[in-house]
Amino acid sequence: MNNRDVFPENPAVPLSSNDMGGELAQIHDLQFSALELQLYLDTHPHDLGALALYNQYHRDLMRCLREYESRHGPLLGNGFSASPRNSWGWLEGPWPWEVNYG
């Protein structure tokens, strides 16, 4: 099994721009792919190809989250994202509903 068997288009590509909407869309794609593989692995725990693919999506997702947060500030709440600046970044915009994903 390879990633083309499970997902026809591999969203795990390097971020190519500082486009916030594009970066968020890529993060959402990676989150979706990782979750779908997680659900698959719940019923097929010995599928090493799927496990390897899940681990790749996880690495790509963590990289994309780090890159996004370094450019735009914290993305995840509840203690999952640090505020790397000398200010509390949650009040700096835009809010998720203000981002143009198109």
Side-chain angles (χ1 to χ4, degrees), residues 46-101:
H46 303 292
D47 186 335
L48 297 181
L51 181 58
L53 187 56
Y54 171 83
N55 287 332
Q56 181 62 50
Y57 279 110
H58 171 75
R59 282 189 297 274
D60 292 342
L61 175 59
M62 294 299 105
R63 177 187 50 80
C64 288
L65 286 170
R66 280 190 307 275
E67 290 178 16
Y68 178 92
E69 289 182 337
S70 72
R71 287 193 212 27
H72 308 293
L75 185 62
L76 304 173
N78 300 322
F80 289 104
S81 291
S83 188
R85 302 178 186 147
N86 290 329
S87 66
W88 186 242
W90 287 105
L91 300 177
E92 299 169 11
W95 290 94
W97 54 86
E98 297 173 323
V99 176
N100 179 5
Y101 291 95

Side-chain angles (χ1 to χ4, degrees), residues 7 11 28-38 54 57:
F7 304 101
H28 292 161
D29 288 348
L30 289 165
Q31 287 174 323
F32 174 82
S33 299
L35 177 58
E36 287 296 309
L37 279 165
Q38 176 184 333
Y54 171 83
Y57 279 110

Side-chain angles (χ1 to χ4, degrees), residues 1-6 37 40 44 47-53:
M1 171 186 274
N2 65 45
N3 62 349
R4 300 289 181 202
D5 294 335
V6 179
L37 279 165
Y40 173 81
H44 300 80
D47 186 335
L48 297 181
L51 181 58
L53 187 56

